Amino acid sequence: MYKLFIRPLLFLFPSEKAHYIALGLLKFTLKLPLVKNIFRSLYQSKRQDLSKEVFGLTFKNPVGLAAGFDKNAAYYNELSHLGFGFIEVGTVTPKPQDGNPKPRLFRLVKDEALINRMGFNNDGLEAMIQHLKNRQTDLIIGGNIGKNKVTPNENAIDDYVISFKALHPYVDYFVVNVSSPNTPNLRELQDKEPLTKLLTTLRTINETFDRPKPILLKIAPDLTENQLDDIIEIVQSIGIDGIVATNTTISREGLKTSKTIIDDIGNGGLSGKPVKTRSTEVIRYIADKTAGQLPIIAVGGIFTAADAQEKLAAGASLVQVYSGFIYEGPGMVKKICEGLH
């Protein structure tokens, strides 16, 4: 139904507009009588054996929604009816920001991919907290935190600390995002010295709370092996709880979409099927180097149960979807759950 009727209609609209039309429809539909029960039977797996404990949290199933889909935590209550085991909200910055000029989200239909240069557009920390105070789901909710564009890298820690402290009572785990390609110079924070300082600071603050929350680091797929080795060393020495691998790529290799169209789109992070192989390579490298002792959340090119199984076999503990969810529709999560072995 989704691929036959709903997706062709949504794809008539610009990507970003279609996103909010779909979320608006979801919100409206779930207010109708009995719809929540219908959604539960249509979209939620009944498998009990998929429950999993990772970094001290118990997940109903290993399939989550990646950050960027619900940037302001405005729709997570509605999205929780679509079968996810967890939802990650954000990326949030301390102050609201508009992000980059539109258009900034593009479909590559031939590649089943997206290019985005959103630029951490969000309503800011206070707006997210107000939404999270209205939590109506028992799903695990992660908070993905970043820095404001106007904050220079030398002061970046301040932004992460502000969001970390304020969100601590409202989310179940944190993801530190230093890997988006769409905020100028952000990826420089993945370098050894600034990353060590940032993660050490957050770990120290975390220990001051009665109930510390798991902290994960989201990394880019474009890192070299030497850079990955540095990150593994930092994460293990500081005692960070896990890695999210991977964010979008700046690579444009092997695309079916014509070079002219790609050049016209311009800068941005590529997600979807073209990232699948590299994402799995990064996951396998980290898992091998850490003897499988470091929890990994896999993101990148997951469309089917086989894709998810590939990531889990490479060493991931959990998986997240984004682009695949847009192309496959709301039945996707249940299909993945039912197909895992």
Side-chain angles (χ1 to χ4, degrees):
M1 167 118 172
Y2 175 80
K3 285 188 178 178
L4 277 177
F5 301 109
I6 299 171
R7 190 177 81 178
L9 284 173
L10 287 173
F11 278 25
L12 293 173
F13 294 93
S15 300
E16 192 170 349
K17 186 164 188 175
H19 181 74
Y20 288 106
I21 289 171
L23 287 171
L25 278 170
L26 177 66
K27 202 166 193 127
F28 171 77
T29 306
L30 281 163
K31 287 177 181 172
L32 300 173
L34 302 176
V35 168
K36 287 178 184 175
N37 292 335
I38 294 166
F39 270 43
R40 198 171 293 120
S41 64
L42 281 177
Y43 300 129
Q44 295 186 12
S45 171
K46 293 179 176 61
R47 285 183 62 179
Q48 301 295 316
D49 61 319
L50 294 178
S51 177
K52 201 166 192 184
E53 186 169 316
V54 187
F55 40 80
L57 299 174
T58 303
F59 295 80
K60 288 181 178 178
N61 69 61
V63 185
L65 182 62
F69 203 92
D70 188 10
K71 288 178 177 291
N72 299 306
Y75 299 96
Y76 68 97
N77 284 319
E78 289 78 17
L79 289 162
S80 70
H81 294 283
L82 298 180
F84 294 106
F86 61 109
I87 291 171
E88 195 173 304
V89 297
T91 300
V92 69
T93 54
K95 295 173 185 170
Q97 59 183 27
D98 292 333
N100 292 320
K102 296 177 183 178
R104 56 196 179 180
L105 180 62
F106 308 89
R107 301 180 198 99
L108 308 185
V109 177
K110 285 182 182 175
D111 294 285
E112 294 186 86
L114 300 170
I115 290 175
N116 93 80
R117 52 167 175 271
M118 306 298 284
F120 287 172
N121 59 304
N122 73 104
D123 296 339
L125 187 58
E126 286 308 314
M128 176 175 277
I129 288 169
Q130 290 310 310
H131 291 140
L132 289 169
K133 283 180 178 177
N134 186 35
R135 187 160 166 180
Q136 296 157 15
T137 173
D138 61 353
L139 270 197
I140 287 170
I141 305 293
N144 187 299
I145 56 177
K147 80 169 189 76
N148 280 108
K149 186 177 180 179
V150 295
T151 304
N153 273 8
E154 54 267 28
N155 300 332
I157 287 179
D158 298 341
D159 277 12
Y160 288 94
V161 166
I162 289 165
S163 295
F164 187 80
K165 284 181 173 177
L167 277 179
H168 206 279
Y170 303 105
V171 297
D172 300 303
Y173 71 89
F174 282 92
V175 175
V176 180
N177 190 348
V178 290
S179 53
S180 167
N182 302 315
T183 295
N185 308 317
L186 182 76
R187 286 189 168 189
E188 291 173 12
L189 296 176
Q190 293 179 118
D191 292 345
K192 197 167 187 177
E193 191 179 330
L195 187 60
T196 302
K197 195 174 174 187
L198 170 59
L199 295 179
T200 302
T201 303
L202 294 179
R203 171 75 203 268
T204 303
I205 292 167
N206 200 28
E207 294 303 322
T208 67
F209 287 90
D210 289 339
R211 294 181 63 193
K213 302 284 172 78
I215 301 172
L216 289 83
L217 175 69
K218 189 163 189 175
I219 62 170
D222 308 308
L223 298 167
T224 64
E225 286 190 0
N226 286 340
Q227 288 172 313
L228 286 172
D229 289 341
D230 284 346
I231 282 170
I232 291 165
E233 183 189 325
I234 292 163
V235 163
Q236 289 189 312
S237 64
I238 295 169
I240 295 305
D241 298 277
I243 285 178
V244 181
T246 61
N247 213 318
T248 57
T249 181
I250 55 174
S251 168
R252 298 291 186 266
E253 284 180 27
L255 294 177
K256 297 170 189 168
T257 305
S258 76
K259 188 177 182 302
T260 310
I261 291 171
I262 299 298
D263 290 346
D264 284 347
I265 289 171
N267 294 337
L270 175 71
S271 62
K273 286 197 173 175
V275 193
K276 178 184 161 185
T277 302
R278 179 56 187 161
S279 168
T280 304
E281 287 170 357
V282 171
I283 290 157
R284 188 173 288 115
Y285 186 86
I286 295 167
D288 288 350
K289 284 279 180 174
T290 60
Q293 295 304 300
L294 185 67
I296 301 167
I297 299 180
V299 203
I302 298 168
F303 284 63
T304 65
D307 297 335
Q309 198 70 56
E310 178 185 289
K311 297 284 196 270
L312 296 169
S317 304
L318 304 164
V319 301
Q320 287 179 329
V321 299
Y322 186 116
S323 302
F325 188 59
I326 289 168
Y327 280 95
E328 296 294 315
M332 170 198 195
V333 182
K334 185 176 181 180
K335 279 183 191 167
I336 290 177
C337 288
E338 299 292 330
L340 290 175
H341 53 81

